[in-house]
Amino acid sequence: MTTNHRIALIPGDGIGAEVLPPAQQVLDVLGRRHGFSLSYTSYDWSCERYLREGAMMPADGIDQLRHQDAILLGAVGYPGVPDHVSLWGLLIPIRRSFRQYVNLRPIRVFEGIESPVRGARPGEVDFVVVRENMEGEYSEVGGRLNRGFPDEIAVQEAVFTRAGVTRVLEYAFTLASERGGRLTSATKSNGIVHTMPFWDQLVTERAASFPQVAWDQEHIDALAAKFVLEPARFDVVVASNLFGDILSDLAAAVAGSIGVAPAANLNPERDFPSMFEPVHGSAPDIAGQGIANPLGAIWSAAMMLDHLGHPAAARDITDAITSVLAKTDVRTRDLGGTATTAEFTDKLIELL
C-alpha cells in the first residue's frame, strides 16, 4: 500500500510563500518515484493575519496541527510586527507544545558555491549544529518592572533542567556516533557561573556512555572564531538555545549563503509532529519578485522525508542539490546568478 503523509504547510510571511511551492513540487516528484504520497493542508498563519485579527494563529491552532505527520514552514516576520510578537505567537508555541526539543541544522560547503571563508572548501566542511530548542536562554521566566520610570528594569532568567539538557545531549552524542565520531560542546563556563558549569557537567556524564565518540568543549567566543578559521574540523556541535541559534547562522554564512541552509525542529520520540523550515527569514526586501532562493526550503523538505522514513528519497534531493550547484551555472541572485525561483526549481527537478 502507498503510504500517505499528512503535511501542514505554513507559508508565513514574505518569501515564505514563494519557497514552499518549489519544495512541494520536489516532494511530489519524489513521492511518485518512491511510492508514497503527501496530502497538504495550508494555514494562513502569519504577520498579515496578526495585523488583521490580532493573533498569529487561532486559539485552537495547536490542536489543528496535532494530527499532522509533519509541518513545513516558510518564513515568519514582517515590518510592522515586532519580532518577539511573531516568534512567540507562532514558532515557539509550536516548538514547545510539540516538544520539538532538538533544532537540527546541517552545514555543508557545496561545490559551486564560493564560501567567503578561504579555508572552507567543498567536501571538507560538512557538520551539523544540534541546538537545544525549548529552554535555556529563551525561557519565559522574567519580566519588566517600573515601566517608563528612570528605575525601570528588565529581568530574563535562563532555565537549564537536567532532563532538558540530557535529552538533547543524548541526541547529539548518538548522532556523532553515527557520523564522524566527533562532538564539540559550546559553553561559556568561565563567565556564566551557574548554568554553563551545569551544562559541562551533564556533557561529561553523557560522554561516559559514548566511549566511541571523541569530544571536547569550546567557549562560545573562541568557537565562533574557529568556525571561521577552521570550519573543516567540526562534525557535531551541540549548544544551548541561544548559542546554537547564533552559531548555526554563522555557520550558514561560512557555507556561502544563508539562503541554502535548512533546519528541523524535532520531537525525536515522534509523539508529536516535527517542523521543518529554512533558516533564512522572510526577506521583505525581495518578497514578491520571484527571485528567492528555494534551496533552504527544499533541503528542509529532504530532512522531513528522512524523518518520515524515506532516507533514499531524501538523498535524491540532496544529490540533486549537489548536482545543480556543481554541474550547472543556474543560480538565484543571492548566489551570484540571474535565475528566478521558478527557473532554479525547474533545473533542480530536471536533474532529479
Side-chain angles (χ1 to χ4, degrees), residues 5 11 27 47 80 130 139 142 150 173-174 178 209 257 259 262 264:
H5 300 290
L27 286 168
C47 290
V130 178
S139 82
F173 272 103
T174 300
E178 296 167 351
S209 298
S257 173

Side-chain angles (χ1 to χ4, degrees), residues 9 31 36 58 63 65 76-77 105 122 124 158 168 175 187 192 213 218 232 234 245 253 266 322 348 352:
L9 298 177
F36 60 85
D63 288 334
L65 298 176
V76 175
R105 297 188 175 185
E124 295 182 10
V168 78
L175 182 61
T187 186
I192 301 176
V213 175
E218 295 275 2
F234 299 104
D245 196 2
L266 299 177
T322 302
L348 184 76
L352 273 175

Side-chain angles (χ1 to χ4, degrees), residues 234-245:
F234 299 104
D235 179 27
V236 173
V237 178
V238 64
S240 68
N241 211 331
L242 176 62
F243 291 174
D245 196 2

Side-chain angles (χ1 to χ4, degrees), residues 184-242:
T184 300
S185 169
T187 186
K188 191 57 182 170
S189 50
N190 61 344
I192 301 176
V193 69
H194 297 303
T195 57
M196 284 292 100
F198 179 59
W199 173 279
D200 294 347
Q201 173 190 334
L202 296 181
V203 172
T204 302
E205 289 179 10
R206 294 315 306 145
S209 298
F210 294 88
Q212 72 276 32
V213 175
W215 69 279
D216 61 1
Q217 63 185 40
E218 295 275 2
H219 293 304
I220 183 66
D221 42 356
L223 183 55
K226 290 177 182 178
F227 265 27
V228 174
L229 297 174
E230 306 174 74
R233 66 170 282 190
F234 299 104
D235 179 27
V236 173
V237 178
V238 64
S240 68
N241 211 331
L242 176 62

Side-chain angles (χ1 to χ4, degrees), residues 30 34 36 302 305 310-318 352:
L30 270 298
H34 289 272
F36 60 85
L305 288 183
H310 304 287
R315 283 193 300 273
D316 282 354
I317 295 178
T318 53
L352 273 175

